[in-house]
Amino acid sequence: MRKWCDDLRRGDHVVHIYKSADEQAKALLDLIGWMREDEKLVLHCDGPDREGGDCFALNGQMFEAAAQDGHMEVLPSYRAVCPTGKFRADALPDLLIYDLGRTMDEGFSGAVLCIDYSWIAELPDDFASHVVQSSQITLARLPSNLTLLCQYDRRRLTAEQADQLLRVHQLALADGKLARNFWVVATSTLGGRGRSIKAMPQPSAAATGQEK
């Protein structure tokens, strides 16, 4: 049976607006199965009122095996991008570069990052900044050995917030399928402000390995 990640390529930036914890976990399990042995999954999930990732129950043999052999790491998302309690400008691209560099220092050839940002829906000003950053990352492109899945709980988003997220991502996971948006909306049409990021640094061919 064909899975959504069969159409996923390294360097892709995907948005996933899930409807249940089971749907969220299923997407992650598929992602773990898609990864190569020389890649690591870094999962950021939590909220401003929580210390660790509890957005879903990390259970099942695949989750446990990936965590035990060092191929998966669970970290907080709120503290990483809101160190002072407010969404820091350019926090997301900085986090991506840091996690990729740290993962490669550990001996992996690439990183698969999954970040659950459901909590940001409750912070309107920070949500607007986050949408701008997501758009900039889509337009700048990711390094070829970094794959990014940004997840959001549909039950916590307004219809307008969900629409904005879908409009600034080129790829969207919905109903178990990966859909491509050929018309990514520029941040200026959303009223966004912020410093544009330059194209993220591309790794050497030796570091990226072969495409799956």
Side-chain angles (χ1 to χ4, degrees):
M1 183 176 179
R2 190 171 181 81
K3 297 180 179 180
W4 70 271
C5 48
D6 291 338
D7 297 319
L8 186 65
R9 296 174 295 186
R10 283 163 180 81
D12 278 344
H13 178 196
V14 183
V15 61
H16 180 208
I17 301 177
Y18 59 88
K19 300 174 184 176
S20 68
D22 287 344
E23 182 183 337
Q24 180 193 23
K26 176 64 167 58
L28 288 173
L29 286 171
D30 288 344
L31 198 57
I32 291 174
W34 172 83
M35 288 168 51
R36 294 192 301 242
E37 285 294 320
D38 59 351
E39 293 176 314
K40 180 177 181 179
L41 173 65
V42 182
L43 170 63
H44 289 269
C45 61
D46 76 344
D49 57 343
R50 295 183 285 275
E51 290 298 323
D54 63 344
C55 56
F56 64 94
L58 281 176
N59 52 29
Q61 293 183 350
M62 288 187 69
F63 283 130
E64 293 175 1
Q68 289 175 3
D69 68 11
H71 280 79
M72 184 178 78
E73 182 179 12
V74 182
L75 299 170
S77 66
Y78 178 80
R79 192 163 60 238
V81 295
C82 301
T84 64
K86 183 174 178 58
F87 200 78
R88 183 176 62 81
D90 302 310
L92 181 53
D94 286 352
L95 177 64
L96 302 184
I97 294 172
Y98 174 77
D99 275 348
L100 176 60
R102 183 172 57 85
T103 299
M104 295 183 69
D105 287 343
E106 294 174 1
F108 295 94
S109 69
V112 179
L113 268 59
C114 179
I115 307 178
D116 188 289
Y117 275 130
S118 300
W119 52 267
I120 205 166
E122 301 163 13
L123 307 172
D125 292 339
D126 291 343
F127 180 85
S129 297
H130 175 61
V131 169
V132 171
Q133 288 186 5
S134 296
S135 173
Q136 292 172 342
I137 289 172
T138 297
L139 297 175
R141 298 176 59 190
L142 295 174
S144 58
N145 64 342
L146 173 62
T147 306
L148 176 61
L149 175 67
C150 291
Q151 294 188 307
Y152 307 85
D153 190 335
R154 181 64 184 86
R155 296 164 295 186
R156 300 176 68 173
L157 298 171
T158 66
E160 181 180 4
Q161 286 175 328
D163 181 64
Q164 286 186 340
L165 289 169
L166 291 172
R167 284 191 290 154
V168 297
H169 287 81
Q170 192 170 42
L171 293 168
L173 171 57
D175 299 322
K177 297 180 180 179
L178 198 60
R180 184 172 295 274
N181 173 19
F182 290 97
W183 303 99
V184 177
V185 176
T187 55
S188 59
T189 66
L190 298 174
R193 295 180 297 173
R195 181 174 65 84
S196 297
I197 63 171
K198 297 179 180 178
M200 298 182 69
Q202 298 289 320
S204 65
T208 59
Q210 295 293 321
E211 187 82 9
K212 182 175 178 179

